[in-house]
Amino acid sequence: MSIQMGKPAATGEAPGTEEPPDTGVTMPVSRVGDRYKLTALQGLAALSLDAMASVAYGPESIVLVLAAAGAYGMGFTLPVTLAIAALLAVLVASYRQVIAAFPDGGGSYAVAKRHLGRRTSLVAAASLILDYVLNVAVSVTAGVAALTSAFPELYGERVWICLGVLVLVTAVNLRGVVDSARAFLVPTALFVGSILAMIAVGLFRDGPVSTASAAGHASVLGEGATTVGALLLLRAFAAGCSALTGVEAVANAVPSFRAPAARRAQRTEVALGALLGVMLIGLSVLIGRFHLQPVEGVTVLAQLADASFGHNAAFYVVQFATVVLLALAANTSFGGLPVLMSLLARDNYLPHVFTLKADRQVHRHGVVWLALVSAVLLVSSGGDTNTLVPLFAIGVFVGFTICQVGMVRHWYGERPRGWRSKAALNGFGALLTGVSAIVVTATKFTEGAWLIALALPLLVLGFQKIHRTYAEIGERLELGRIPVAPHRSRSLVVVPVSGLSRLTCQALTAARSLGDEVLAVTVTHPAAEDRQAAEALRRDWELWKPGVDLVELSSQTRSLGRPVSGYVRELTRTHPDAQVTVLIPETEPARLWQRLLQNQRGSVVAHAVRRDTDAVICRLRFRVTSDAH
């Protein structure tokens, strides 16, 4: 028997947690929790895919901007990359401090909430949510684009392939963050190993071994340019900063690590920054060493693999690893966003359902929500990466900037030893990321960035609306106050019936156990065939003599729910001191598909009573077992 209130009454209750299955073996709570949490190495695999995969398009973004200034502009690839690497170091150092100061996760949202106020924290949360959702769509479409480049015959099916990859990643994450880390450990190691090997081999080459991949493709290098302006360098820097997306994921998901969670997360953050920095700088050195020219239809990474290894098996290993990692880079969002959503829900800015965890310590509602929204983006964009890229990275720059400013306030308030230098470092980082956010938004505004500028305030307004709703409900429920002592009220139980059966008997038995007075009600219709059924029920009821009155409710429109809810309203009016309960008897078939055979009368009545009254709804389930006759 399940009991529901006629009006929402459970919205203010503390979030629950599904318990692990009982295996008959007693284990310490910490060990049970740690079983489904990450080590530092697993965290690197589960939460770094976004950042690692950005190596495939970060340097290319720099090259494509500088190519407008011709070969002279290409010479600034390494200086721009070094500036990005310096910003990366600032961000890693900052997020190490964020992890230590905010071990419950949340990243820029948690920092802004404590030091910059509620509205700023909501802007940070909204920017992170947008970035995480777009990361899933961009990563999946980029991976599938690399696949269809190798196998052009699959191009027409790219949307279905994108959705298939999304289903795969979602399914792995629904099994838990540890399982996802184990599944993606090998692809991550393969990609990082192949890129580092390519850099090491390329540094010993005097020139490119092969240019077969670029042969026959038109160059996009500008002609006649001999100067590089500050605006072009700023645009190249902002474009290359797309390689920094994902750096914040570790700080957002600190609770996913094993104890000591903060220390493990810090080690993961440093390892991520070191690997990403080495790969970005190494690839930029190779671009200058091989005098690479960007061409249409071939990625910079593919040209570098060709130049370092030659057009052989090693070249295809790099391409294969890139395809796989780009497709799976969406896993970073599945590791970070559900944790962030649980924090927002705990603060009453998202529905409380997002705080719930399954037995494998995974926020399944957040995972499913992320998958559904990403699927909509994939379908609406037609699986095209170029449609989504202009929207990407703006949100994360906003989050970076807010986090850096918040940490400056943190150092100023705490004032530990050396706080001035730390605050200066964070302040410099806030300046760089703030400028990058402005430049990217301005240069990509007409290409779709206006959607992000519109979505951010809409999300913040949505958060505030949910928070006000929870506040109103909490006020009505008098949460945080000691309620008056409970007292016993006279109880009236209404049981809707349509005929005599074992179910009717059990329902009246349960009702008489619950209430002081029981009333059975049946809805009748004036049609001739319905009158005969009503007369037969009345006659059988008098012969049965259950000791409960049968009340007939006439309905001219064959409506079922409204007559019952109207009768309940009348009972409430005439008996203001009584507690009215509606007990709805229902059968529960042995097999799921058999529920399609039911008439759903119970659901119709429950919906009408819940909508129109404050009565308690009690749904009595009569289980029909497979051997029942």
Side-chain angles (χ1 to χ4, degrees):
M1 185 186 300
S2 60
I3 299 177
Q4 299 171 326
M5 296 300 294
K7 298 285 184 179
T11 50
E13 63 188 8
T17 302
E18 299 175 29
E19 295 295 334
D22 185 7
T23 60
V25 180
T26 302
M27 294 180 64
V29 175
S30 60
R31 287 182 59 193
V32 173
D34 277 355
R35 177 183 175 186
Y36 300 111
K37 293 192 174 184
L38 298 168
T39 64
L41 183 60
Q42 290 171 340
L44 191 62
L47 301 173
S48 71
L49 293 177
D50 178 17
M52 295 298 182
S54 65
V55 169
Y57 50 79
E60 184 160 4
S61 299
I62 299 172
V63 167
L64 289 176
V65 173
L66 294 177
Y72 182 74
M74 293 290 295
F76 287 87
T77 301
L78 182 57
V80 171
T81 303
L82 290 175
I84 294 172
L87 177 56
L88 172 63
V90 172
L91 290 173
V92 169
S94 174
Y95 277 108
R96 283 189 77 254
Q97 301 302 324
V98 171
I99 291 168
F102 300 89
D104 290 334
S108 57
Y109 167 69
V111 174
K113 178 185 171 185
R114 180 181 297 181
H115 298 295
L116 299 178
R118 187 185 68 175
R119 288 189 177 180
T120 306
S121 70
L122 294 181
V123 173
S127 66
L128 284 172
I129 288 176
L130 291 174
D131 177 62
Y132 276 136
V133 172
L134 286 167
N135 172 59
V136 174
V138 169
S139 299
V140 172
T141 55
V144 173
L147 177 66
T148 56
S149 296
F151 302 98
E153 62 273 13
L154 298 176
Y155 184 78
E157 307 297 329
R158 64 189 182 281
V159 174
W160 290 108
I161 298 174
C162 285
L163 293 176
V165 173
L166 179 62
V167 168
L168 173 64
V169 176
T170 303
V172 172
N173 278 276
L174 285 175
R175 288 189 54 81
V177 66
V178 171
D179 283 345
S180 70
R182 290 170 180 164
F184 301 144
L185 188 58
V186 173
T188 305
L190 178 62
F191 177 80
V192 173
S194 62
I195 296 298
L196 293 179
M198 181 181 71
I199 293 172
V201 172
L203 291 176
F204 289 96
R205 304 288 191 191
D206 293 329
V209 176
S210 170
T211 58
S213 61
H217 294 267
S219 174
V220 297
L221 198 67
E223 296 181 1
T226 58
T227 60
V228 175
L231 181 59
L232 184 67
L233 290 176
L234 204 58
R235 289 184 59 191
F237 174 82
C241 280
S242 61
L244 302 181
T245 57
V247 173
E248 79 290 348
V250 177
N252 290 335
V254 178
S256 299
F257 286 85
R258 293 182 185 178
R263 190 177 304 169
R264 291 182 188 274
Q266 285 179 322
R267 286 201 290 263
T268 302
E269 185 74 51
V270 172
L272 168 60
L275 285 173
L276 184 57
V278 168
M279 288 191 290
L280 288 175
I281 295 173
L283 292 176
S284 296
V285 171
L286 292 187
I287 290 172
R289 190 177 187 85
F290 295 139
H291 303 290
L292 182 142
Q293 294 186 9
V295 298
E296 295 180 356
V298 180
T299 65
V300 168
L301 197 62
Q303 292 186 64
L304 291 177
D306 204 11
S308 293
F309 292 130
H311 209 72
N312 50 29
F315 168 83
Y316 287 103
V317 167
V318 174
Q319 294 305 102
F320 171 76
T322 304
V323 169
V324 172
L325 201 75
L326 277 170
L328 300 182
N331 191 69
T332 297
S333 294
F334 283 97
L337 182 57
V339 175
L340 174 64
M341 293 178 72
S342 73
L343 294 177
L344 286 167
R346 191 178 64 187
D347 294 337
N348 294 335
Y349 291 113
L350 282 180
H352 287 172
V353 69
F354 290 113
T355 63
L356 299 179
K357 282 186 179 181
D359 53 3
R360 290 175 176 267
Q361 298 298 301
V362 57
H363 297 88
R364 287 183 175 172
H365 295 283
V367 169
V368 171
W369 180 89
L370 175 58
L372 291 176
V373 176
S374 301
V376 172
L377 281 176
L378 291 173
V379 173
S380 61
S381 67
D384 182 26
T385 307
N386 293 327
T387 302
L388 298 167
V389 165
L391 311 178
F392 192 44
I394 296 175
V396 76
F397 283 136
V398 173
F400 281 163
T401 305
I402 291 175
C403 186
Q404 299 285 333
V405 174
M407 288 307 294
V408 172
R409 293 286 299 272
H410 173 77
W411 297 129
Y412 185 78
E414 298 291 332
R415 300 196 179 189
R417 178 179 299 179
W419 70 272
R420 295 181 187 276
S421 59
K422 294 178 180 179
L425 186 65
N426 289 132
F428 181 62
L431 176 64
L432 293 180
T433 54
V435 170
S436 299
I438 294 171
V439 171
V440 172
T441 303
T443 56
K444 301 294 184 181
F445 192 82
T446 58
E447 300 177 37
W450 63 271
L451 285 172
I452 302 299
L454 179 64
L456 274 173
L458 289 179
L459 269 177
V460 172
L461 290 175
F463 293 152
Q464 292 175 329
K465 176 65 175 177
I466 293 172
H467 192 270
R468 283 195 300 269
T469 302
Y470 274 127
E472 292 171 1
I473 294 173
E475 183 66 25
R476 292 290 300 275
L477 294 176
E478 297 183 355
L479 295 179
R481 308 176 194 171
I482 298 177
V484 298
H487 62 280
R488 190 181 187 282
S489 300
R490 181 166 174 263
S491 178
L492 297 176
V493 182
V494 177
V495 183
V497 299
S498 58
L500 296 187
S501 66
R502 183 179 173 186
L503 177 61
T504 308
C505 180
Q506 286 204 355
L508 294 180
T509 300
R512 297 185 72 169
S513 302
L514 291 173
D516 299 312
E517 183 179 348
V518 178
L519 298 168
V521 298
T522 185
V523 180
T524 62
H525 309 287
E529 63 274 16
D530 294 316
R531 284 201 305 269
Q532 293 178 359
E535 291 173 358
L537 175 60
R538 189 183 311 116
R539 183 176 59 253
D540 292 342
W541 197 272
E542 291 175 353
L543 292 174
W544 184 33
K545 296 180 179 179
V548 175
D549 292 336
L550 178 65
V551 181
E552 296 184 17
L553 307 175
S554 179
S555 174
Q556 300 294 324
T557 61
R558 288 187 175 274
S559 172
L560 182 63
R562 290 188 181 277
V564 176
S565 65
Y567 179 71
V568 172
R569 282 201 310 272
E570 181 64 19
L571 278 179
T572 304
R573 187 184 66 81
T574 56
H575 300 81
D577 297 330
Q579 173 64 62
V580 180
T581 301
V582 180
L583 188 147
I584 304 172
E586 298 174 295
T587 58
E588 184 169 308
R591 293 178 175 84
L592 182 63
W593 69 268
Q594 293 173 337
R595 296 182 184 180
L596 299 174
L597 306 178
Q598 294 178 283
N599 57 27
Q600 307 301 323
R601 291 167 61 93
S603 297
V604 172
V605 172
H607 174 73
V609 173
R610 180 184 297 110
R611 179 192 59 207
D612 300 332
T613 77
D614 290 324
V616 174
I617 299 173
C618 179
R619 303 181 74 165
L620 177 72
R621 305 295 176 89
F622 180 81
R623 298 183 183 275
V624 181
T625 57
S626 57
D627 58 348
H629 299 284

